[in-house]
Amino acid sequence: MSAERLLATARARGLRIATAESCTGGMVAAALTDIPGSSDVFERGFVTYSNLAKEQLIGVSAETLAAHGAVSEQVAREMAEGALAHSAADLAVSTTGIAGPGGSEHKPEGRVCFGLARKGHATITETVEFGAPGRARVREAARDHALALIEQALSQD
C-alpha cells in the first residue's frame, strides 16, 4: 500500500497517526507528510534519537533503557505507547535500531525493533534483521516496514 492509500484508509476510518523514531530520524513521518492533505491524519512525529529524548519526550523509562538498551523490543514498545500517550493520535509506530556502520555481536548492524500501539488494542513489537546493506538502505527498509505495520493495523478493522 502506498503512503497515499494508507492515509486515505486512515482518513476513511477517522484515525490519526503518530510516529516515534530513532534510527529512521523522521523518515516515516516524512513519507506520510510528503502527501498533500496528510495533516488531517498525521498528528505528530517524535524524533527521539538520544536516550534522553526518549525519556523526556515520550516517557521511555531510564530503567528499561538501562536493562535492555535502546535497541530492544521493550524500548520500541515504550516508544510507541509513549507517542500514543503524548499525542491525540489513535495509533503510533516506533523504530529503534542500528543502521550502521557498526554494531556488536549482541546487537548487529541492521537490527531494528518496531512497536505499534493502538488505542483499545494490545501493543505489538517485533525485531527485523535487515543485515548490513549500508546505513541508507537499513533506514529505508525500516521506514518501509514501519509503514507496513501501520497498513496491517488499518487492515485489521
Side-chain angles (χ1 to χ4, degrees), residues 6-17 40-43 88-91 118-119 154 157:
L6 186 154
L7 288 168
T9 301
R11 184 177 294 113
R13 296 195 174 132
L15 299 174
R16 307 240 1 208
I17 299 168
D40 63 342
V41 174
F42 184 75
E43 208 282 321
D90 302 290
L91 66 96
R118 185 166 175 195
K119 289 182 180 176
L154 293 173
D157 285 341

Side-chain angles (χ1 to χ4, degrees), residues 1-18 28 32 40-42 84 89-93 116-119 121-122 124 145-157:
M1 178 183 292
S2 69
E4 191 167 13
R5 284 187 54 215
L6 186 154
L7 288 168
T9 301
R11 184 177 294 113
R13 296 195 174 132
L15 299 174
R16 307 240 1 208
I17 299 168
V28 179
L32 295 171
D40 63 342
V41 174
F42 184 75
L84 198 60
D90 302 290
L91 66 96
V93 69
L116 187 108
R118 185 166 175 195
K119 289 182 180 176
H121 294 76
I124 62 164
H145 190 78
L147 292 170
L149 285 174
I150 297 169
E151 176 186 350
Q152 289 171 1
L154 293 173
S155 69
Q156 290 175 353
D157 285 341

